[in-house]
Amino acid sequence: LETFIEDNCSRRWRNLIVRRQRFARKAYNQHFQWFVTFTYSDELNTEESFKQRLLETLRRLATRKHWRYMGVWERGKDTDRLHFHALVYIPDGEMIGEFEKVTDYNKKTGKQKTITQNTFFANKFGRNEFDDISMTDYAYGKAIAYIMKYMGKTNSKAVYSRGLYEY
């Protein structure tokens, strides 16, 4: 029994390390522009339909408009609300919807926060936040580290668009 438990734990630990390495290699080989957070909304979807519809929308955008994305699912610590954090590349002229600035109350900091939100995703899925990470290498590395942190916390697997090369 002890051998089985030890082998199983080491296998799971090794799988996590390999998933994180693969994610980092793929992320650093791309030129993502946006760090995006999609948050589940009770009014528009159930949790299951949110996951299915969001992934289907991203797959279609990747096929039809040549978007590229990598992301991971996560639950909020306080609210237990489902989120999808992603790195996204959108070619010039292929954006759907419009960007708008939205001011909202941030419960963590206790202050108002202005975010950039896409109208298409807001109408279809609820709250979303687009942060530009293409300007500095620091922001890019920080976004990758943030997503990889959730791979370890929740032991979840990353979601990739097709055509992302590891090497």
mmCIF file of all heavy atoms in Angstrom, residues 81-122:
data_model
loop_
_atom_site.group_PDB
_atom_site.id
_atom_site.type_symbol
_atom_site.label_atom_id
_atom_site.label_comp_id
_atom_site.label_asym_id
_atom_site.label_seq_id
_atom_site.Cartn_x
_atom_site.Cartn_y
_atom_site.Cartn_z
ATOM 1 N N ARG A 81 -16.486 31.150 -7.776
ATOM 2 C CA ARG A 81 -16.982 31.397 -9.127
ATOM 3 C C ARG A 81 -15.951 30.925 -10.151
ATOM 4 O O ARG A 81 -14.770 31.159 -10.001
ATOM 5 C CB ARG A 81 -17.282 32.882 -9.316
ATOM 6 C CG ARG A 81 -17.939 33.171 -10.638
ATOM 7 C CD ARG A 81 -18.669 34.484 -10.631
ATOM 8 N NE ARG A 81 -19.749 34.538 -9.656
ATOM 9 C CZ ARG A 81 -20.973 34.077 -9.856
ATOM 10 N NH1 ARG A 81 -21.271 33.480 -10.979
ATOM 11 N NH2 ARG A 81 -21.886 34.200 -8.938
ATOM 12 N N LEU A 82 -16.416 30.245 -11.189
ATOM 13 C CA LEU A 82 -15.551 29.682 -12.217
ATOM 14 C C LEU A 82 -14.986 30.785 -13.113
ATOM 15 O O LEU A 82 -15.720 31.683 -13.537
ATOM 16 C CB LEU A 82 -16.352 28.676 -13.049
ATOM 17 C CG LEU A 82 -15.581 27.856 -14.057
ATOM 18 C CD1 LEU A 82 -14.584 26.945 -13.355
ATOM 19 C CD2 LEU A 82 -16.551 27.018 -14.885
ATOM 20 N N HIS A 83 -13.672 30.707 -13.393
ATOM 21 C CA HIS A 83 -12.980 31.648 -14.279
ATOM 22 C C HIS A 83 -12.201 30.860 -15.320
ATOM 23 O O HIS A 83 -11.848 29.703 -15.089
ATOM 24 C CB HIS A 83 -11.919 32.466 -13.535
ATOM 25 C CG HIS A 83 -12.427 33.354 -12.472
ATOM 26 N ND1 HIS A 83 -12.912 32.902 -11.278
ATOM 27 C CD2 HIS A 83 -12.503 34.701 -12.421
ATOM 28 C CE1 HIS A 83 -13.260 33.919 -10.530
ATOM 29 N NE2 HIS A 83 -13.021 35.028 -11.195
ATOM 30 N N PHE A 84 -11.905 31.522 -16.415
ATOM 31 C CA PHE A 84 -10.964 30.972 -17.387
ATOM 32 C C PHE A 84 -9.928 32.050 -17.645
ATOM 33 O O PHE A 84 -10.248 33.133 -18.133
ATOM 34 C CB PHE A 84 -11.676 30.584 -18.688
ATOM 35 C CG PHE A 84 -10.770 29.925 -19.696
ATOM 36 C CD1 PHE A 84 -10.263 28.663 -19.470
ATOM 37 C CD2 PHE A 84 -10.430 30.573 -20.872
ATOM 38 C CE1 PHE A 84 -9.431 28.056 -20.389
ATOM 39 C CE2 PHE A 84 -9.609 29.968 -21.802
ATOM 40 C CZ PHE A 84 -9.105 28.705 -21.563
ATOM 41 N N HIS A 85 -8.673 31.776 -17.288
ATOM 42 C CA HIS A 85 -7.568 32.702 -17.528
ATOM 43 C C HIS A 85 -6.859 32.231 -18.791
ATOM 44 O O HIS A 85 -6.530 31.051 -18.918
ATOM 45 C CB HIS A 85 -6.576 32.696 -16.372
ATOM 46 C CG HIS A 85 -7.159 33.167 -15.084
ATOM 47 N ND1 HIS A 85 -7.486 34.483 -14.853
ATOM 48 C CD2 HIS A 85 -7.469 32.502 -13.954
ATOM 49 C CE1 HIS A 85 -7.969 34.605 -13.638
ATOM 50 N NE2 HIS A 85 -7.979 33.413 -13.068
ATOM 51 N N ALA A 86 -6.602 33.163 -19.714
ATOM 52 C CA ALA A 86 -6.006 32.774 -20.986
ATOM 53 C C ALA A 86 -5.036 33.823 -21.495
ATOM 54 O O ALA A 86 -5.178 35.015 -21.225
ATOM 55 C CB ALA A 86 -7.098 32.541 -22.026
ATOM 56 N N LEU A 87 -4.068 33.350 -22.250
ATOM 57 C CA LEU A 87 -3.210 34.200 -23.065
ATOM 58 C C LEU A 87 -3.769 34.113 -24.473
ATOM 59 O O LEU A 87 -4.017 33.007 -24.977
ATOM 60 C CB LEU A 87 -1.769 33.687 -23.039
ATOM 61 C CG LEU A 87 -1.096 33.649 -21.683
ATOM 62 C CD1 LEU A 87 0.195 32.844 -21.761
ATOM 63 C CD2 LEU A 87 -0.819 35.050 -21.200
ATOM 64 N N VAL A 88 -3.975 35.258 -25.119
ATOM 65 C CA VAL A 88 -4.646 35.265 -26.416
ATOM 66 C C VAL A 88 -3.867 36.112 -27.412
ATOM 67 O O VAL A 88 -3.402 37.210 -27.079
ATOM 68 C CB VAL A 88 -6.086 35.818 -26.287
ATOM 69 C CG1 VAL A 88 -6.788 35.846 -27.630
ATOM 70 C CG2 VAL A 88 -6.890 34.993 -25.299
ATOM 71 N N TYR A 89 -3.741 35.598 -28.639
ATOM 72 C CA TYR A 89 -3.195 36.361 -29.758
ATOM 73 C C TYR A 89 -4.334 36.590 -30.748
ATOM 74 O O TYR A 89 -5.012 35.645 -31.157
ATOM 75 C CB TYR A 89 -2.062 35.594 -30.453
ATOM 76 C CG TYR A 89 -1.697 36.180 -31.790
ATOM 77 C CD1 TYR A 89 -0.925 37.335 -31.869
ATOM 78 C CD2 TYR A 89 -2.137 35.599 -32.971
ATOM 79 C CE1 TYR A 89 -0.601 37.890 -33.083
ATOM 80 C CE2 TYR A 89 -1.814 36.148 -34.192
ATOM 81 C CZ TYR A 89 -1.047 37.289 -34.249
ATOM 82 O OH TYR A 89 -0.738 37.850 -35.460
ATOM 83 N N ILE A 90 -4.542 37.850 -31.131
ATOM 84 C CA ILE A 90 -5.588 38.208 -32.082
ATOM 85 C C ILE A 90 -4.934 38.944 -33.241
ATOM 86 O O ILE A 90 -4.366 40.027 -33.039
ATOM 87 C CB ILE A 90 -6.661 39.094 -31.421
ATOM 88 C CG1 ILE A 90 -7.252 38.392 -30.201
ATOM 89 C CG2 ILE A 90 -7.752 39.451 -32.427
ATOM 90 C CD1 ILE A 90 -8.097 39.272 -29.322
ATOM 91 N N PRO A 91 -4.973 38.384 -34.458
ATOM 92 C CA PRO A 91 -4.365 39.077 -35.593
ATOM 93 C C PRO A 91 -5.047 40.430 -35.856
ATOM 94 O O PRO A 91 -6.199 40.639 -35.475
ATOM 95 C CB PRO A 91 -4.617 38.123 -36.769
ATOM 96 C CG PRO A 91 -4.909 36.810 -36.159
ATOM 97 C CD PRO A 91 -5.530 37.085 -34.832
ATOM 98 N N ASP A 92 -4.327 41.324 -36.514
ATOM 99 C CA ASP A 92 -4.870 42.641 -36.830
ATOM 100 C C ASP A 92 -6.145 42.518 -37.658
ATOM 101 O O ASP A 92 -6.198 41.762 -38.630
ATOM 102 C CB ASP A 92 -3.850 43.470 -37.617
ATOM 103 C CG ASP A 92 -2.673 43.877 -36.754
ATOM 104 O OD1 ASP A 92 -2.834 43.919 -35.515
ATOM 105 O OD2 ASP A 92 -1.594 44.155 -37.324
ATOM 106 N N GLY A 93 -7.176 43.242 -37.246
ATOM 107 C CA GLY A 93 -8.446 43.262 -37.966
ATOM 108 C C GLY A 93 -9.353 42.081 -37.697
ATOM 109 O O GLY A 93 -10.413 41.967 -38.309
ATOM 110 N N GLU A 94 -8.978 41.186 -36.814
ATOM 111 C CA GLU A 94 -9.778 39.983 -36.547
ATOM 112 C C GLU A 94 -10.504 40.034 -35.201
ATOM 113 O O GLU A 94 -11.051 39.031 -34.764
ATOM 114 C CB GLU A 94 -8.897 38.731 -36.614
ATOM 115 C CG GLU A 94 -8.259 38.484 -37.962
ATOM 116 C CD GLU A 94 -9.273 38.198 -39.065
ATOM 117 O OE1 GLU A 94 -10.385 37.719 -38.764
ATOM 118 O OE2 GLU A 94 -8.949 38.450 -40.235
ATOM 119 N N MET A 95 -10.505 41.176 -34.524
ATOM 120 C CA MET A 95 -11.208 41.317 -33.249
ATOM 121 C C MET A 95 -12.709 41.327 -33.498
ATOM 122 O O MET A 95 -13.185 41.963 -34.438
ATOM 123 C CB MET A 95 -10.782 42.610 -32.555
ATOM 124 C CG MET A 95 -11.534 42.890 -31.267
ATOM 125 S SD MET A 95 -11.406 41.608 -30.023
ATOM 126 C CE MET A 95 -9.783 41.896 -29.420
ATOM 127 N N ILE A 96 -13.449 40.619 -32.681
ATOM 128 C CA ILE A 96 -14.903 40.677 -32.746
ATOM 129 C C ILE A 96 -15.394 41.519 -31.579
ATOM 130 O O ILE A 96 -14.744 41.573 -30.536
ATOM 131 C CB ILE A 96 -15.536 39.267 -32.720
ATOM 132 C CG1 ILE A 96 -15.087 38.504 -31.476
ATOM 133 C CG2 ILE A 96 -15.171 38.496 -33.965
ATOM 134 C CD1 ILE A 96 -15.807 37.206 -31.283
ATOM 135 N N GLY A 97 -16.508 42.183 -31.749
ATOM 136 C CA GLY A 97 -17.010 43.054 -30.692
ATOM 137 C C GLY A 97 -16.165 44.307 -30.587
ATOM 138 O O GLY A 97 -15.262 44.559 -31.376
ATOM 139 N N GLU A 98 -16.454 45.109 -29.592
ATOM 140 C CA GLU A 98 -15.741 46.358 -29.353
ATOM 141 C C GLU A 98 -15.206 46.355 -27.935
ATOM 142 O O GLU A 98 -15.781 45.744 -27.041
ATOM 143 C CB GLU A 98 -16.689 47.553 -29.522
ATOM 144 C CG GLU A 98 -17.306 47.666 -30.898
ATOM 145 C CD GLU A 98 -16.289 48.004 -31.970
ATOM 146 O OE1 GLU A 98 -15.349 48.763 -31.667
ATOM 147 O OE2 GLU A 98 -16.422 47.501 -33.093
ATOM 148 N N PHE A 99 -14.115 47.068 -27.734
ATOM 149 C CA PHE A 99 -13.598 47.250 -26.383
ATOM 150 C C PHE A 99 -14.282 48.439 -25.736
ATOM 151 O O PHE A 99 -14.525 49.452 -26.380
ATOM 152 C CB PHE A 99 -12.088 47.497 -26.386
ATOM 153 C CG PHE A 99 -11.279 46.258 -26.601
ATOM 154 C CD1 PHE A 99 -10.267 46.237 -27.542
ATOM 155 C CD2 PHE A 99 -11.508 45.109 -25.867
ATOM 156 C CE1 PHE A 99 -9.503 45.107 -27.744
ATOM 157 C CE2 PHE A 99 -10.757 43.965 -26.054
ATOM 158 C CZ PHE A 99 -9.752 43.972 -26.994
ATOM 159 N N GLU A 100 -14.596 48.294 -24.452
ATOM 160 C CA GLU A 100 -15.154 49.402 -23.691
ATOM 161 C C GLU A 100 -14.528 49.399 -22.303
ATOM 162 O O GLU A 100 -14.160 48.357 -21.783
ATOM 163 C CB GLU A 100 -16.677 49.296 -23.593
ATOM 164 C CG GLU A 100 -17.180 48.073 -22.848
ATOM 165 C CD GLU A 100 -18.694 47.951 -22.820
ATOM 166 O OE1 GLU A 100 -19.376 48.768 -23.447
ATOM 167 O OE2 GLU A 100 -19.182 47.025 -22.168
ATOM 168 N N LYS A 101 -14.379 50.575 -21.744
ATOM 169 C CA LYS A 101 -13.857 50.707 -20.384
ATOM 170 C C LYS A 101 -15.028 50.588 -19.418
ATOM 171 O O LYS A 101 -16.037 51.263 -19.569
ATOM 172 C CB LYS A 101 -13.169 52.056 -20.189
ATOM 173 C CG LYS A 101 -11.958 52.258 -21.070
ATOM 174 C CD LYS A 101 -10.792 51.463 -20.558
ATOM 175 C CE LYS A 101 -9.560 51.770 -21.403
ATOM 176 N NZ LYS A 101 -8.440 50.966 -21.049
ATOM 177 N N VAL A 102 -14.892 49.723 -18.425
ATOM 178 C CA VAL A 102 -15.936 49.503 -17.432
ATOM 179 C C VAL A 102 -15.329 49.721 -16.051
ATOM 180 O O VAL A 102 -14.274 49.172 -15.740
ATOM 181 C CB VAL A 102 -16.506 48.063 -17.540
ATOM 182 C CG1 VAL A 102 -17.519 47.797 -16.457
ATOM 183 C CG2 VAL A 102 -17.089 47.818 -18.914
ATOM 184 N N THR A 103 -15.988 50.537 -15.239
ATOM 185 C CA THR A 103 -15.539 50.766 -13.874
ATOM 186 C C THR A 103 -16.362 49.885 -12.947
ATOM 187 O O THR A 103 -17.583 49.885 -13.004
ATOM 188 C CB THR A 103 -15.694 52.246 -13.486
ATOM 189 O OG1 THR A 103 -14.957 53.026 -14.429
ATOM 190 C CG2 THR A 103 -15.161 52.502 -12.097
ATOM 191 N N ASP A 104 -15.667 49.134 -12.105
ATOM 192 C CA ASP A 104 -16.330 48.182 -11.221
ATOM 193 C C ASP A 104 -15.638 48.213 -9.859
ATOM 194 O O ASP A 104 -14.485 48.608 -9.740
ATOM 195 C CB ASP A 104 -16.231 46.781 -11.828
ATOM 196 C CG ASP A 104 -17.234 45.819 -11.238
ATOM 197 O OD1 ASP A 104 -18.072 46.245 -10.434
ATOM 198 O OD2 ASP A 104 -17.163 44.621 -11.584
ATOM 199 N N TYR A 105 -16.351 47.773 -8.851
ATOM 200 C CA TYR A 105 -15.815 47.728 -7.494
ATOM 201 C C TYR A 105 -15.017 46.439 -7.318
ATOM 202 O O TYR A 105 -15.499 45.346 -7.595
ATOM 203 C CB TYR A 105 -16.954 47.794 -6.476
ATOM 204 C CG TYR A 105 -16.506 47.745 -5.048
ATOM 205 C CD1 TYR A 105 -15.897 48.853 -4.462
ATOM 206 C CD2 TYR A 105 -16.668 46.599 -4.284
ATOM 207 C CE1 TYR A 105 -15.481 48.811 -3.140
ATOM 208 C CE2 TYR A 105 -16.249 46.559 -2.970
ATOM 209 C CZ TYR A 105 -15.654 47.667 -2.404
ATOM 210 O OH TYR A 105 -15.235 47.620 -1.104
ATOM 211 N N ASN A 106 -13.785 46.563 -6.842
ATOM 212 C CA ASN A 106 -12.926 45.418 -6.593
ATOM 213 C C ASN A 106 -13.008 45.064 -5.105
ATOM 214 O O ASN A 106 -12.605 45.855 -4.254
ATOM 215 C CB ASN A 106 -11.485 45.748 -6.998
ATOM 216 C CG ASN A 106 -10.582 44.542 -6.931
ATOM 217 O OD1 ASN A 106 -10.869 43.570 -6.240
ATOM 218 N ND2 ASN A 106 -9.491 44.607 -7.659
ATOM 219 N N LYS A 107 -13.520 43.881 -4.794
ATOM 220 C CA LYS A 107 -13.711 43.483 -3.401
ATOM 221 C C LYS A 107 -12.395 43.252 -2.666
ATOM 222 O O LYS A 107 -12.310 43.452 -1.465
ATOM 223 C CB LYS A 107 -14.561 42.215 -3.322
ATOM 224 C CG LYS A 107 -15.995 42.436 -3.732
ATOM 225 C CD LYS A 107 -16.776 41.153 -3.625
ATOM 226 C CE LYS A 107 -18.215 41.383 -4.040
ATOM 227 N NZ LYS A 107 -19.000 40.149 -3.981
ATOM 228 N N LYS A 108 -11.361 42.810 -3.392
ATOM 229 C CA LYS A 108 -10.078 42.542 -2.748
ATOM 230 C C LYS A 108 -9.421 43.821 -2.246
ATOM 231 O O LYS A 108 -8.902 43.868 -1.136
ATOM 232 C CB LYS A 108 -9.122 41.836 -3.717
ATOM 233 C CG LYS A 108 -9.399 40.376 -3.892
ATOM 234 C CD LYS A 108 -8.328 39.737 -4.734
ATOM 235 C CE LYS A 108 -8.584 38.247 -4.877
ATOM 236 N NZ LYS A 108 -7.577 37.605 -5.700
ATOM 237 N N THR A 109 -9.405 44.842 -3.112
ATOM 238 C CA THR A 109 -8.729 46.085 -2.730
ATOM 239 C C THR A 109 -9.662 47.079 -2.065
ATOM 240 O O THR A 109 -9.206 48.016 -1.418
ATOM 241 C CB THR A 109 -8.101 46.755 -3.963
ATOM 242 O OG1 THR A 109 -9.132 47.076 -4.905
ATOM 243 C CG2 THR A 109 -7.067 45.854 -4.601
ATOM 244 N N GLY A 110 -10.965 46.920 -2.242
ATOM 245 C CA GLY A 110 -11.931 47.855 -1.671
ATOM 246 C C GLY A 110 -11.984 49.169 -2.419
ATOM 247 O O GLY A 110 -12.381 50.190 -1.868
ATOM 248 N N LYS A 111 -11.591 49.150 -3.697
ATOM 249 C CA LYS A 111 -11.562 50.370 -4.508
ATOM 250 C C LYS A 111 -12.222 50.120 -5.859
ATOM 251 O O LYS A 111 -12.425 48.981 -6.270
ATOM 252 C CB LYS A 111 -10.113 50.806 -4.751
ATOM 253 C CG LYS A 111 -9.354 51.160 -3.490
ATOM 254 C CD LYS A 111 -7.930 51.528 -3.820
ATOM 255 C CE LYS A 111 -7.155 51.820 -2.549
ATOM 256 N NZ LYS A 111 -5.749 52.084 -2.812
ATOM 257 N N GLN A 112 -12.516 51.212 -6.553
ATOM 258 C CA GLN A 112 -13.021 51.129 -7.918
ATOM 259 C C GLN A 112 -11.865 50.742 -8.844
ATOM 260 O O GLN A 112 -10.739 51.186 -8.659
ATOM 261 C CB GLN A 112 -13.593 52.477 -8.363
ATOM 262 C CG GLN A 112 -14.845 52.880 -7.626
ATOM 263 C CD GLN A 112 -16.061 52.090 -8.070
ATOM 264 O OE1 GLN A 112 -16.100 51.515 -9.141
ATOM 265 N NE2 GLN A 112 -17.074 52.066 -7.222
ATOM 266 N N LYS A 113 -12.162 49.937 -9.849
ATOM 267 C CA LYS A 113 -11.148 49.515 -10.805
ATOM 268 C C LYS A 113 -11.732 49.638 -12.209
ATOM 269 O O LYS A 113 -12.868 49.221 -12.451
ATOM 270 C CB LYS A 113 -10.732 48.066 -10.536
ATOM 271 C CG LYS A 113 -9.666 47.568 -11.469
ATOM 272 C CD LYS A 113 -9.294 46.129 -11.172
ATOM 273 C CE LYS A 113 -8.262 45.647 -12.169
ATOM 274 N NZ LYS A 113 -7.974 44.234 -12.011
ATOM 275 N N THR A 114 -10.968 50.204 -13.121
ATOM 276 C CA THR A 114 -11.393 50.318 -14.509
ATOM 277 C C THR A 114 -10.745 49.197 -15.305
ATOM 278 O O THR A 114 -9.524 49.024 -15.263
ATOM 279 C CB THR A 114 -10.995 51.687 -15.085
ATOM 280 O OG1 THR A 114 -11.590 52.704 -14.289
ATOM 281 C CG2 THR A 114 -11.477 51.827 -16.516
ATOM 282 N N ILE A 115 -11.568 48.445 -16.021
ATOM 283 C CA ILE A 115 -11.070 47.329 -16.824
ATOM 284 C C ILE A 115 -11.477 47.540 -18.272
ATOM 285 O O ILE A 115 -12.408 48.291 -18.578
ATOM 286 C CB ILE A 115 -11.616 45.973 -16.322
ATOM 287 C CG1 ILE A 115 -13.135 45.912 -16.426
ATOM 288 C CG2 ILE A 115 -11.145 45.687 -14.916
ATOM 289 C CD1 ILE A 115 -13.722 44.532 -16.185
ATOM 290 N N THR A 116 -10.777 46.857 -19.169
ATOM 291 C CA THR A 116 -11.133 46.839 -20.586
ATOM 292 C C THR A 116 -11.922 45.568 -20.832
ATOM 293 O O THR A 116 -11.441 44.469 -20.561
ATOM 294 C CB THR A 116 -9.867 46.864 -21.463
ATOM 295 O OG1 THR A 116 -9.095 48.009 -21.117
ATOM 296 C CG2 THR A 116 -10.240 46.916 -22.928
ATOM 297 N N GLN A 117 -13.146 45.732 -21.350
ATOM 298 C CA GLN A 117 -14.043 44.600 -21.546
ATOM 299 C C GLN A 117 -14.482 44.559 -23.005
ATOM 300 O O GLN A 117 -14.672 45.590 -23.634
ATOM 301 C CB GLN A 117 -15.252 44.767 -20.630
ATOM 302 C CG GLN A 117 -16.188 43.584 -20.624
ATOM 303 C CD GLN A 117 -17.139 43.639 -19.456
ATOM 304 O OE1 GLN A 117 -16.771 43.304 -18.357
ATOM 305 N NE2 GLN A 117 -18.359 44.057 -19.696
ATOM 306 N N ASN A 118 -14.662 43.358 -23.533
ATOM 307 C CA ASN A 118 -15.125 43.173 -24.900
ATOM 308 C C ASN A 118 -16.639 42.989 -24.887
ATOM 309 O O ASN A 118 -17.156 42.169 -24.125
ATOM 310 C CB ASN A 118 -14.442 41.951 -25.523
ATOM 311 C CG ASN A 118 -14.809 41.742 -26.963
ATOM 312 O OD1 ASN A 118 -15.940 41.403 -27.276
ATOM 313 N ND2 ASN A 118 -13.837 41.944 -27.833
ATOM 314 N N THR A 119 -17.348 43.725 -25.738
ATOM 315 C CA THR A 119 -18.810 43.687 -25.732
ATOM 316 C C THR A 119 -19.349 42.330 -26.181
ATOM 317 O O THR A 119 -20.355 41.858 -25.648
ATOM 318 C CB THR A 119 -19.378 44.788 -26.633
ATOM 319 O OG1 THR A 119 -18.830 44.660 -27.955
ATOM 320 C CG2 THR A 119 -19.048 46.165 -26.080
ATOM 321 N N PHE A 120 -18.701 41.688 -27.150
ATOM 322 C CA PHE A 120 -19.163 40.386 -27.634
ATOM 323 C C PHE A 120 -19.153 39.361 -26.501
ATOM 324 O O PHE A 120 -20.147 38.673 -26.257
ATOM 325 C CB PHE A 120 -18.284 39.902 -28.792
ATOM 326 C CG PHE A 120 -18.572 38.487 -29.214
ATOM 327 C CD1 PHE A 120 -19.645 38.202 -30.042
ATOM 328 C CD2 PHE A 120 -17.780 37.435 -28.772
ATOM 329 C CE1 PHE A 120 -19.916 36.898 -30.416
ATOM 330 C CE2 PHE A 120 -18.041 36.132 -29.149
ATOM 331 C CZ PHE A 120 -19.114 35.864 -29.977
ATOM 332 N N PHE A 121 -18.033 39.261 -25.801
ATOM 333 C CA PHE A 121 -17.913 38.288 -24.719
ATOM 334 C C PHE A 121 -18.769 38.672 -23.519
ATOM 335 O O PHE A 121 -19.279 37.811 -22.819
ATOM 336 C CB PHE A 121 -16.452 38.113 -24.312
ATOM 337 C CG PHE A 121 -15.632 37.397 -25.345
ATOM 338 C CD1 PHE A 121 -14.741 38.090 -26.147
ATOM 339 C CD2 PHE A 121 -15.757 36.033 -25.524
ATOM 340 C CE1 PHE A 121 -13.991 37.430 -27.107
ATOM 341 C CE2 PHE A 121 -15.017 35.360 -26.478
ATOM 342 C CZ PHE A 121 -14.123 36.068 -27.277
ATOM 343 N N ALA A 122 -18.940 39.971 -23.286
ATOM 344 C CA ALA A 122 -19.779 40.418 -22.166
ATOM 345 C C ALA A 122 -21.232 40.018 -22.390
ATOM 346 O O ALA A 122 -21.910 39.563 -21.459
ATOM 347 C CB ALA A 122 -19.666 41.933 -21.996
#
